[in-house]
Amino acid sequence: YEVVVKCPGSASLSNSEDFIISLPHNSTVLQLKEAIKHNHPCRPEISDQRLVFAGKLLNHDDISLKYLH
C-alpha cells in the first residue's frame, strides 16, 4: 500500500515533490505517522504531524488505512 504524503512548507522538499511511504494494508494512522517520522528527511515528531484525508483530520486510533479510499 503506497501513501503519498504532501508536505506543505517543507524546506527540504520542493513544492512539486511528494513523499511516498509503502505500508501493509492493515497499517494504522499511528503506524503511518511512525513511518513518516523515521523516513522523512525532517524527522517530524508524531505529535507534530497532522494527517488529513478527504478533508478529515486522521487520529491515531482511526481504523486501518485500507478503509481510506
Side-chain angles (χ1 to χ4, degrees):
Y1 196 70
E2 285 192 343
V3 178
V4 178
V5 179
K6 305 281 185 178
C7 306
S10 175
S12 64
L13 296 175
S14 72
N15 290 338
S16 63
E17 282 188 77
D18 296 333
F19 184 72
I20 299 173
I21 293 184
S22 295
L23 294 166
H25 286 309
N26 61 345
S27 297
T28 64
V29 172
L30 180 58
Q31 289 170 320
L32 172 57
K33 287 184 173 188
E34 289 169 344
I36 293 170
K37 178 182 177 182
H38 295 293
N39 295 294
H40 190 275
C42 294
R43 307 278 191 252
E45 290 297 323
I46 291 172
S47 61
D48 294 334
Q49 296 179 42
R50 303 293 178 265
L51 301 183
V52 178
F53 180 80
K56 179 186 175 216
L57 184 64
L58 302 178
N59 297 310
H60 292 173
D61 56 351
D62 280 345
I63 57 176
S64 70
L65 299 175
K66 69 181 175 181
Y67 296 107
L68 302 177
H69 306 291

